[in-house]
Structure formats: C-alpha cells, structure tokens
Amino acid sequence: MSELDLPVVEFAPDRWGNPAHAIALPAGTQAALDALGIQPRNAPVAPEDVVLPGPAVPDAVRTALEAAVGAAHVGDGDMDRLRHTRGWSTPDILRMRAGDTADTPDLVVRPGSHDEVVAVLRACSDGGVAVVPYSGGTSVVGGLAPDRAGFAGVVALDLGRLDALVAVDPVSRTATLEAGMRGPRVEELLLAEGLTLGHFPQSYEGASIGGYAAARSAGQSSAGYGRFDDMVVGLVLATPRGTLTLGTAPKSAAGPDLRQLVLGSEGTLGVITSVTVRVRPVPQERVFEGWRFPSFEAGTEAVRRLAQDGPLPTVLRLSDEAETAINLADPSGGPTDAPGGCLAITGYEGEPDEVAARRARATAVIEQCGGEPAGTDAGEAWRRGRFHGPYLRDPLLDAGALVETLETVTFWSNVPRLKAAVTEAVQGALGEQGTPAIVLCHVSHVYETGASLYFTIACAQSDDPLAQWARAKEAANAAIRASDAAISHHHGVGTDHRATYAEEIGPLGVDVLRAVKATLDPAGILNPGVLVSR
Amino acid sequence: MSELDLPVVEFAPDRWGNPAHAIALPAGTQAALDALGIQPRNAPVAPEDVVLPGPAVPDAVRTALEAAVGAAHVGDGDMDRLRHTRGWSTPDILRMRAGDTADTPDLVVRPGSHDEVVAVLRACSDGGVAVVPYSGGTSVVGGLAPDRAGFAGVVALDLGRLDALVAVDPVSRTATLEAGMRGPRVEELLLAEGLTLGHFPQSYEGASIGGYAAARSAGQSSAGYGRFDDMVVGLVLATPRGTLTLGTAPKSAAGPDLRQLVLGSEGTLGVITSVTVRVRPVPQERVFEGWRFPSFEAGTEAVRRLAQDGPLPTVLRLSDEAETAINLADPSGGPTDAPGGCLAITGYEGEPDEVAARRARATAVIEQCGGEPAGTDAGEAWRRGRFHGPYLRDPLLDAGALVETLETVTFWSNVPRLKAAVTEAVQGALGEQGTPAIVLCHVSHVYETGASLYFTIACAQSDDPLAQWARAKEAANAAIRASDAAISHHHGVGTDHRATYAEEIGPLGVDVLRAVKATLDPAGILNPGVLVSR
C-alpha cells in the first residue's frame, strides 16, 4: 500500500469539511440576517469540553480486535471517538454542538487490509459488538448513528488505511480502488495515470470510495460521468461470514445484478473494501458557462430536452428563481442585482473538437428553449465554488439561522408537482413554528426519464432547532412519498429516511433486505437500524 | 385490455421461431455438408405422434386454478402442453425431436391480470405444485426445465393474456407494458404513439417483455438503446406472498436497487407481470452499413474506441474471420467469395442531422483503425436478415449437422484470451469425439469497459447429439470461468449455466439468492432448480 501523498486533513467533529477551507459569512448575508432579526442562540459546546464515558467494549472483544489489526490501530481517545460520531447533516452537527454523545463509538478500529476487516467483523459478531463502517464520515441522513440497544458496545470501523490504487487496466479503462480513499486522493493517483474518475459530489473533500458505493453517490458531473453506481463494475464485500466478490464483466445476464444489491446497502450487509470502477482519460478541455432562463418551466424544458435528445453536457444544473436570486452558485457574492429568471450551469469536458461540437448542439437546444447566455464567468464562478456552499452552514448556525438541504428524484412529468409539494410542506411546517423559511431548489441531476430536485432550506433557529427541523423533515418526507417520488436521489436512507423508505419498497421489500442481512450478518452487528428497522 | 391486432402465431414445440418464417438451407450450404459427409441421422419424432400421460396436478389445485383464472384458461391438451415444454436451445429442440417429454408441464394456466397471477401462485404454493413462468418460451439455457422432484405437478403459467400497453408518459418518455407482450406487438402499439422500445434480440419474434426482464435480455441495437435492464425503470412482481412494486424514479439512492435483484431472477423469485420502460421517439432516419477490417484485432480496436471515446453507432457488431467467411450476416447467401478480413456492421438511428454527424465522426474512427467501407448494401442485408439466422438450425439439424450458439462477456483487455480459450475448448471437446467443429465468433455488444463475444458452433451430429453437445458445453463453461468472464451476457443462467454461475458468485452469493427466494417463495414452487440448485 502506498504512503499518503496528500496532507492528512483532521476533520472537526462539529463542522462541515476541511477546516482549512472554512469561510465566514459574506457581509451581505449577515446584513440580511440582521434585517430578519436572526440572532445567535443555542451556543455550542466545544468538542474539547466534551467528556466521554470510558469505552464499553468487553475486554475479550478488544483483545480480539487488537489481535486482528494491531493495538496501535485500535483507538479510544476522546477526540478520535468524537471525530467518528455521526456525519455532516445539520441535525448531526446540532447534536454535537449540544454536546450529545449518545452515538459516539466506544472504539475506533483501523484495519489495514480486507482480511483484517473480515477478522474485525468476526470478532465483533462473536462478541455482540455493533460495527459502524466509517470511510468518509460524511453521511447527511443519519447513516452513522446505529441503534446500540442490545449490543455490548459500538466500534467505528475506520477504512482510512485502505487507501491504495490497487490496479489500473488502461485498455479496459478500469481502476481498482480501496474503500478508504477520499475523493482528492483518488483523483491525484489517477491523474498520474492520465485518468479521472470524474466523481465530484459536494462532499468531495471528505467523502470516500466506500461511502460513494455504500450510499449510491452522484457527483456534480453526473450528466457526463454518470452516477457512482453506474461506474462500479466490480466490488469486494467483507462480511461476518467471509468475502463476497462480485463483478466479472461490465454487464451480464448471469442472474440478478448482485452488485446493485450491495451498492446502496449502507454498511448493513457488509463492508465494501474495494471497488473496480470505470475511469476515463483526463479531459483536455473544460468549458463551463451560465445560462439564464425566463422561468423554471422553460429551463426544465431545456434540461429535459438535453437529457432526452442530447447532447448532454458533462455538468447540467438549473436553479429556480429563488435560488438564482440568492446566487448560491457564488457564495462569495451574496445576493446579487442579477436580472432574475433561473440560472443554469452547463459544463463540457473532453477532447477539444468533441467539446466544441457538443457545446454547439447543446447551445442550440438551450437557445430554442429561451436560454440567454450568462457567460463563462458565471460558469467558472460555479466551478470554483462548487464545494464551498456547505461551508456557509457553520457560520449560519453560529449566527442563529437553521440551514439544511434535502433531495429527491422523480420522472419528468412529475417534477412540477413534486417541487410544489415539497416546498409547501417545508414552508408550512416551519411557518407553523413561527420561523418562516426560504426554500430554494435546483435540478441537480438529469436522466432520460426524470430528474432530481435538490432543496436548500433556511430560517431562524428556534430554541430547539433539532425538534424544529424534525417537523420540517417529516413533512418533506411525507410530501415526497405522497408525490410518488423516491425518498433520496443521492444522500441515501440512513436513519432519517428509514420509515419513508419502508413505505417506498413495501413490507415485502423490507423482508427481502432483512433476509439478505440475516444471511450475511447473522448477528445483526452491521449498522443496526440503518436502512431498515431491526 | 385491448384485443390482439397482430395475427396469433402458433409456435411449434420442436422448431425455432415463427413457422411462417421457416427457411430451407441455401444450396451452397447443402453442398458444403455433402462435401463433409454430413448426412441426416437421428430422425425426429413428430410432436403429433407424442402421447403424454394425463396431467398430474391434484384435483383440489386444479379446482383452485380454475377458480382463479376461469376453467377456459386452464389447458391440458397434449399440443398445448408440448408447446409449453422447454425452450429454443439446441438441446431443448433435440429432446423434443427425441420425443422426450420429461419436462412437459401438466397444465397450462393463463391468468388475465396481475391479481390472477398472485392467486395462481398462492394456489400452487398451497398445493405443492411447481410453477414455470412462461411468456415467450424462448429460453436457450434450460430456463423452462424445472426440477419437479417432490412436487405434486408442474404448471406452465402462460402470461400471453397480459399483453396490454398499460400507459404511456410522453413527457417522461416511459411506457408501462404487460409481461406477456411479444416483441412485434410492443413495437406495433408503441409505433401508434410515435415511440419505440428499440429492443431487438434475435428471438424478437417470439420473446416477450417478461422474459426480457427476467433474463436480462440485450438486443441487437444495444449500443444505441441499451440493454433491457437499462431500460426498466419500474416493475411489478407477483409472488406467492403478494405483490412487490419497485421503481419510483429513474435512479435513486434509496437503498439497494431492488429492480436489479428481480431483473435476471428468471422466474425464481416471482412473476414479473408488468414493467415500466424508457421509450424513445421512432427514429426518422436509419442507416446501416458494412465495414471490412484486415483483422479481428484491428476491428476490436475500432469498436473499443467507439465504445470508449464515442460516438457510438446504434448497432455495432464485428464478426471474426471465420464468421465473415461463412457470411452469417446474410443467410440467403451461403459462403461468399468476399475478400476475407472481418466484417463489421454499423447502424445509426435518430434525427437526420444527428445521424449524419454521428456517422461522420464514427467513420473517421473506423477508418483510422483500418476499416474499409463495405457499403450500405452489406448493412441492409444484415438488417433484413437480422432475425433469420436461427431459422437455419432446423434444416441443419434435419441434414445431420449439430449447431448451437453460446455467449459470454468480459473486460476489453481480456477479450483475446477469452476468445481463444472458448474456441479451443469447444473445438477440443468436439474434435475428441470425432466431430471436428467450426467455431465462429462475433463481438455482439459493447460497453466502455468491455464487450460480449457470441460464438456459433457447427459440426456433424453423433449418434447421441445431446451427450455430444453436453461435453462441448461443459468445456465452454469451464473455459469461460477459467478466463474470469461472465457465464452469460444475455442468454441467462437457466439450468445449463447453473453450476458455473454458482462458482461465479460463490457460496455467499448463492446463499443470498436462496434467502431472497425463501422470503418471497417460501414453498419453493417457482422454477425450482433454475438459476440456483435447490
């Protein structure tokens, strides 16, 4: 296994992303908050001030874990355990700010190989200790908050040492990647081979290969590079019963596609230790530009036509009027004096001739639908700021605002109904609590038959922002279900979407998942309560 | 449900395809057989002369079935039962020609709705009667030959009455199709809406929606329209425990993609009664043309570059030197005096401007790789004859030849090794039996990371052609496994590939499938012994 070439980032337990990239609120934003009377409240507890009880894992299990991975790779320090507590959702951050350590693991175990992962799972299965597979730690749906009832302890299984580029097949254009590699490391190592994965979720700086796979990640360039589950051609799963190796070909008719049963299983069926993915040559040309549509309807027509008849840009997203006005695309800018309408971003990556031809044809479609050019500056601003938006949440929480996002996906004909239903549900649930909300929306990912909608919600915090958001989230979940849409496009199920997901797949679907889990994880130690209830 | 508009085709129990399309051997073929000393042998038993034992299903179950679907829709006539016996593989045809009725179902039950399918499954589950879901009846891997041991009888569940186009969503470009619709009916009904599914497997005239889904079909236009499993966005599964409805969006992160667990399940987990699929506008332009490459290696380089860097034609296939010499692309032609090399077919469908642009760019790639134009006549000849090839098998069997096909799929870098291994294995196994074989091969489907190889094998029949072929098939299966390829690209697993498939997914994979089956089909009545052993 190669040594880390990138600086090691120490992520904070109570903040989004890489601490070196933290940003302050733009002046305009603070002025707007002041005008709305939003003031700091619910002062946070500093992680350094949190005192944890000693780890609860039985001595025999700890001894077995130390035998499996080496004592140096079993951590029980408070800050280590806090860093492995929950993920990056607003509720998760609020809980940490409140000093709530109910979900903190007892130990952090860092295996150095697939076989060591299997050994850890066997030790925990034998000892009745729950395991939270942890790679990026970026879940925003409560995917790192297992139900510890009935277990002798909880171990965070940190895959960070599994960070090798194992193999590259330049003819087949595949690469085998270990699960603990975070996004920047993947791209750095592939770049040396002239290749790219092309997967850029907003959590890119923290998220990792294992999480991409386990939670069916979709990146901002999905129009061109596909979803992560489209990229995976093979995977290796460690389970308490041993190893399941899947994927002998790009596609086959050899039975059900069991890869697609593991992808999205969110650490409940096993621990994905490596994946083989389709990779592509590093693009020689990149062009990003902005477009302004007179209405969301006109913009939706354009992105739908591009998705259905082509050509597809590599990046394609469309903000609604409210999001365009706030100009989230450029967090350094704050509210703008832009001429209204709906901003779309198109990006093209590839060989220069191909990019030029594709861009010309896409431009014709966009203009037929009423799009007016907003220039490459707007596109470049979006590209530069593509990972920055979520960093605004921490200073907004400090300032007394409540900010969160949620997303869903449906078929094209259902997009207007779904957008209206979710907006109304969230505004209703927060308005009823005396904290009227702004709800922003964009089309984040497109398919021939449908598209995902990504919502950003902001309002003033109440005294109990967790309860406040829980009501809004419950209303959103119900609206999504009532609209016949999927409860998540790319965030996953975790615990936050579990009840709605059970309705979505029905009791037989839940039974199927439980049966698969009982087969691979007979003691039920893997992420108990995540995805489906116990 | 609408009435059938197409003439009802009565498929014969012992022949490929639509009897109206049967063809005689071209004169050149007969001359070649004569030159090789191949003479008629193993004279067939006519289906009309076969006498079946009475149906074994217990009276109580039959009564329940008649209550579920109506007595008129429960058939026990000999020819009806024979027509529902096995599929269209050479071994299946040979068994029927030998008068072997061991796999003949006792009754043919024709439900008229999803709810009636559920009722049939419950009646059979309660009564211990095995069920063979039957839609097109075109399996070539023994998928219609369940293990009847321990059951009180076997029912063929014929989905032919479920043949409606249930819904079309022109905005989302989806259509909901019942499982019993055969290919031509699907296209006829969609054509009236200006739409096409674009799915044209070689079994198109007989195969049906339910089979496409249950066995992960891939059509000859897969480069442009995708595989059938790529087209499915939703499905409804009838099981003995009730209904599983899957698919709320094109793609989602809401757990594992359970659609992909049902697709490829080959009737063992439940009966797919309808699917919602992505459809496309009927193309305004269609161009097919031939290309000749100096070698299979050069042709493979061309099709790989088109698959990886684009643009992809709608149809893309490449015959090896042997297949090119035989000229299977035009079964009316027989051996040709063509100038050797490897013939490729490219087809383009879409809007005229888009087709012209795509064709120009693809042509440049092909010519860079050494392709020489063979003209649109060669392309049109292939298009006209695209469903005809298999009809040659019946007169070849009559003439004393043994003919069969098999297919596999792997990553690009492994294509040469796989092709050599399968060719050598089959030639060895047949040569050892004193019946040297010709083995033809083409690249039939391409992906960014790999391609499928489709083999056609012909030799003289021995006295026991079933045993003769079984040795060749076993050798081919072993060669595919030893080459790390998938045991099937689009034919499926059935019973013929079951043992190799178990090696491919390993014991944990088999356990997973058994657990899912036990959940949805607790009595194990659905296609027992297909896909995984009991």
Side-chain angles (χ1 to χ4, degrees):
Chain A
M1 206 163 58
S2 58
E3 289 301 301
L4 273 168
D5 304 303
L6 289 169
V8 174
V9 177
E10 291 275 19
F11 294 89
D14 61 343
R15 300 254 141 182
W16 177 276
N18 183 338
H21 298 164
I23 52 180
L25 285 187
T29 309
Q30 186 59 59
L33 294 172
D34 292 345
L36 292 167
I38 295 176
Q39 296 294 333
R41 58 196 306 170
N42 306 308
V45 177
E48 295 74 15
D49 296 337
V50 172
V51 178
L52 292 175
V57 171
D59 288 346
V61 177
R62 180 161 184 162
T63 302
L65 292 171
E66 290 178 351
V69 303
H73 300 297
V74 176
D76 63 4
D78 279 7
M79 192 52 67
D80 200 12
R81 292 167 62 196
L82 288 175
R83 284 203 177 98
H84 291 81
T85 302
R86 309 189 193 95
W88 287 4
S89 72
T90 296
D92 282 356
I93 298 295
L94 288 171
R95 285 187 189 97
M96 188 57 76
R97 288 167 67 101
D100 174 356
T101 60
D103 296 315
T104 299
D106 297 293
L107 298 176
V108 179
V109 178
R110 296 179 169 84
S113 69
H114 170 85
D115 289 347
E116 287 188 11
V117 175
V118 173
V120 167
L121 296 182
R122 286 188 166 143
C124 289
S125 190
D126 291 346
V129 168
V131 174
V132 190
Y134 186 103
S135 51
T138 61
S139 171
V140 290
V141 292
L144 298 164
D147 175 1
R148 67 162 64 215
F151 292 99
V154 175
V155 160
L157 194 159
D158 187 316
L159 295 161
R161 291 174 64 211
L162 297 182
D163 68 346
L165 172 58
V166 178
V168 170
D169 177 346
V171 174
S172 306
R173 289 201 184 155
T174 61
T176 301
L177 310 167
E178 286 189 323
M181 304 175 85
R182 291 183 201 261
R185 179 168 172 82
V186 173
E187 289 296 332
E188 181 201 38
L189 291 179
L190 288 176
L191 180 63
E193 310 282 336
L195 299 168
T196 180
L197 182 59
H199 190 70
F200 302 106
Q202 206 164 27
S203 56
Y204 171 72
E205 294 162 286
S208 70
I209 290 294
Y212 294 164
R216 292 188 173 272
S217 175
Q220 293 167 341
S221 305
S222 70
Y225 290 93
R227 302 163 54 85
F228 195 73
D229 48 23
D230 293 331
M231 300 176 188
V232 174
V233 295
L235 60 84
V236 181
L237 185 76
T239 83
R241 286 193 55 211
T243 299
L244 183 61
T245 303
L246 297 171
T248 53
K251 295 274 187 175
S252 92
D257 192 342
L258 295 179
R259 297 173 297 199
Q260 299 293 331
L261 182 63
V262 173
L263 298 169
S265 63
E266 302 191 4
T268 63
L269 303 182
V271 178
I272 297 163
T273 56
S274 69
V275 297
T276 300
V277 290
R278 175 254 289 154
V279 291
R280 294 197 177 147
V282 172
Q284 297 164 41
E285 175 103 337
R286 285 193 177 90
V287 184
F288 287 77
E289 60 194 340
W291 293 92
R292 198 169 292 274
F293 289 94
S295 67
F296 189 71
E297 189 182 358
T300 303
E301 170 79 7
V303 296
R304 179 171 68 84
R305 283 186 55 188
L306 292 171
Q308 292 184 332
D309 296 322
L312 260 179
T314 309
V315 169
L316 183 60
R317 45 196 291 127
L318 169 73
S319 295
D320 71 357
E321 291 86 349
E323 185 168 294
T324 300
I326 296 281
N327 193 16
L328 271 189
D330 182 6
S332 64
T336 67
D337 54 359
C342 289
L343 185 69
I345 300 293
T346 55
Y348 305 88
E349 298 185 358
E351 295 191 6
D353 287 355
E354 190 276 330
V355 162
R358 182 153 51 107
R359 185 180 175 200
R361 287 180 51 226
T363 296
V365 173
I366 291 168
E367 291 181 338
Q368 281 165 22
C369 295
E372 300 271 352
T376 51
D377 284 357
E380 283 302 315
W382 175 82
R383 195 179 69 78
R384 277 195 311 275
R386 63 198 292 184
F387 306 128
H388 296 180
Y391 286 93
L392 284 171
R393 184 181 56 186
D394 292 311
L396 282 167
L397 290 176
D398 290 339
L402 179 69
V403 190
E404 183 55 307
T405 65
L406 57 87
E407 37 81 76
T408 175
V409 54
T410 192
F411 297 102
W412 285 112
S413 60
N414 198 38
V415 164
R417 170 181 166 226
L418 176 62
K419 182 173 187 288
V422 173
T423 303
E424 185 182 332
V426 171
Q427 285 179 330
L430 290 168
E432 284 166 9
Q433 299 180 71
T435 52
I438 56 170
V439 178
L440 320 176
C441 181
H442 66 263
V443 173
S444 60
H445 302 264
V446 298
Y447 304 94
E448 276 189 69
T449 57
S452 69
L453 293 176
Y454 193 95
F455 296 89
T456 303
I457 299 108
C459 64
Q461 282 178 41
S462 72
D463 285 341
D464 185 351
L466 269 166
Q468 177 194 14
W469 175 249
R471 276 180 62 180
K473 181 70 175 175
E474 189 177 349
N477 289 354
I480 288 168
R481 182 87 279 274
S483 301
D484 299 319
I487 189 58
S488 172
H489 173 265
H490 58 273
H491 284 170
V493 174
T495 50
D496 296 354
H497 295 152
R498 188 179 60 198
T500 313
Y501 175 57
E503 294 172 22
E504 190 175 313
I505 62 172
L508 274 187
V510 172
D511 279 0
V512 164
L513 291 177
R514 286 192 176 130
V516 176
K517 182 173 176 65
T519 300
L520 297 176
D521 174 24
I525 58 161
L526 279 159
N527 252 359
V530 169
L531 196 63
V532 293
S533 59
R534 292 166 69 188
Chain B
M1 206 162 57
S2 58
E3 290 301 303
L4 272 169
D5 303 304
L6 289 169
V8 175
V9 177
E10 291 276 18
F11 294 88
D14 61 342
R15 299 256 142 181
W16 177 277
N18 183 339
H21 299 166
I23 52 181
L25 285 187
T29 309
Q30 186 60 60
L33 295 172
D34 291 345
L36 292 167
I38 295 178
Q39 296 295 330
R41 58 196 305 172
N42 306 309
V45 177
E48 295 73 15
D49 296 336
V50 172
V51 178
L52 291 175
V57 171
D59 288 347
V61 177
R62 180 160 182 161
T63 301
L65 292 171
E66 290 179 351
V69 303
H73 301 298
V74 177
D76 63 5
D78 279 7
M79 193 51 68
D80 200 11
R81 292 167 62 195
L82 288 176
R83 284 204 177 98
H84 291 82
T85 301
R86 308 189 193 95
W88 287 2
S89 71
T90 296
D92 282 356
I93 298 294
L94 289 171
R95 286 189 188 97
M96 187 58 75
R97 288 166 67 102
D100 173 357
T101 60
D103 297 316
T104 299
D106 297 292
L107 297 176
V108 179
V109 178
R110 295 179 169 85
S113 69
H114 170 84
D115 289 348
E116 288 187 11
V117 175
V118 173
V120 167
L121 297 182
R122 285 189 166 143
C124 289
S125 190
D126 291 346
V129 168
V131 174
V132 189
Y134 187 104
S135 51
T138 61
S139 172
V140 290
V141 291
L144 298 164
D147 175 2
R148 67 161 66 216
F151 292 100
V154 175
V155 160
L157 194 159
D158 186 316
L159 295 161
R161 291 173 65 211
L162 298 182
D163 69 344
L165 172 58
V166 178
V168 170
D169 177 345
V171 174
S172 306
R173 291 203 184 153
T174 62
T176 301
L177 310 166
E178 285 189 322
M181 305 175 83
R182 288 186 150 97
R185 178 168 172 84
V186 172
E187 288 297 332
E188 181 201 38
L189 292 178
L190 288 176
L191 180 62
E193 311 281 335
L195 299 168
T196 181
L197 182 59
H199 190 70
F200 302 105
Q202 205 164 28
S203 57
Y204 172 71
E205 295 160 285
S208 70
I209 290 294
Y212 294 164
R216 292 188 173 271
S217 175
Q220 292 167 341
S221 306
S222 70
Y225 291 94
R227 302 163 54 86
F228 195 73
D229 48 22
D230 292 331
M231 300 178 186
V232 173
V233 296
L235 60 83
V236 181
L237 186 75
T239 83
R241 286 192 55 211
T243 299
L244 183 61
T245 303
L246 297 171
T248 53
K251 294 274 188 177
S252 91
D257 192 342
L258 295 178
R259 297 173 297 199
Q260 299 292 332
L261 182 63
V262 173
L263 298 169
S265 63
E266 303 192 4
T268 64
L269 303 181
V271 178
I272 297 163
T273 57
S274 69
V275 296
T276 300
V277 290
R278 175 253 291 155
V279 291
R280 294 201 178 144
V282 172
Q284 297 164 41
E285 175 102 336
R286 284 193 177 91
V287 183
F288 287 77
E289 59 194 341
W291 293 92
R292 197 169 294 274
F293 289 93
S295 67
F296 189 69
E297 188 182 358
T300 303
E301 170 79 6
V303 297
R304 179 172 68 84
R305 283 186 54 187
L306 292 171
Q308 292 185 332
D309 296 323
L312 260 179
T314 309
V315 169
L316 183 60
R317 46 196 289 128
L318 169 73
S319 294
D320 72 357
E321 291 85 351
E323 185 169 293
T324 299
I326 296 281
N327 192 16
L328 272 187
D330 182 5
S332 64
T336 68
D337 55 358
C342 290
L343 185 70
I345 300 293
T346 55
Y348 305 87
E349 299 187 357
E351 295 190 7
D353 287 354
E354 190 274 331
V355 162
R358 184 154 49 109
R359 185 181 175 200
R361 287 180 50 227
T363 296
V365 173
I366 291 168
E367 291 181 337
Q368 281 165 23
C369 293
E372 299 271 352
T376 52
D377 284 357
E380 283 302 314
W382 175 82
R383 196 180 69 78
R384 277 194 312 274
R386 64 198 291 183
F387 305 128
H388 295 181
Y391 286 92
L392 284 172
R393 184 181 55 186
D394 293 310
L396 283 167
L397 290 176
D398 290 338
L402 179 69
V403 191
E404 183 55 307
T405 65
L406 57 87
E407 37 81 75
T408 176
V409 54
T410 192
F411 298 101
W412 284 113
S413 61
N414 198 38
V415 164
R417 171 182 166 224
L418 176 63
K419 181 172 187 288
V422 173
T423 302
E424 184 181 332
V426 171
Q427 285 180 329
L430 291 167
E432 285 165 9
Q433 300 179 69
T435 53
I438 55 169
V439 178
L440 320 176
C441 181
H442 65 262
V443 173
S444 60
H445 303 264
V446 298
Y447 305 93
E448 276 189 70
T449 56
S452 69
L453 293 176
Y454 192 95
F455 295 89
T456 302
I457 299 108
C459 63
Q461 282 178 41
S462 72
D463 286 341
D464 184 352
L466 270 166
Q468 177 193 15
W469 175 250
R471 276 180 64 180
K473 179 71 176 176
E474 190 177 349
N477 289 353
I480 289 169
R481 183 87 278 274
S483 302
D484 299 320
I487 189 57
S488 172
H489 174 265
H490 58 272
H491 284 171
V493 174
T495 49
D496 295 355
H497 295 152
R498 189 179 60 198
T500 312
Y501 176 58
E503 293 172 23
E504 189 175 313
I505 64 172
L508 274 188
V510 171
D511 279 0
V512 165
L513 291 176
R514 286 192 175 129
V516 176
K517 182 172 177 67
T519 300
L520 297 176
D521 174 24
I525 58 161
L526 278 159
N527 253 0
V530 169
L531 195 63
V532 293
S533 59
R534 293 166 68 188

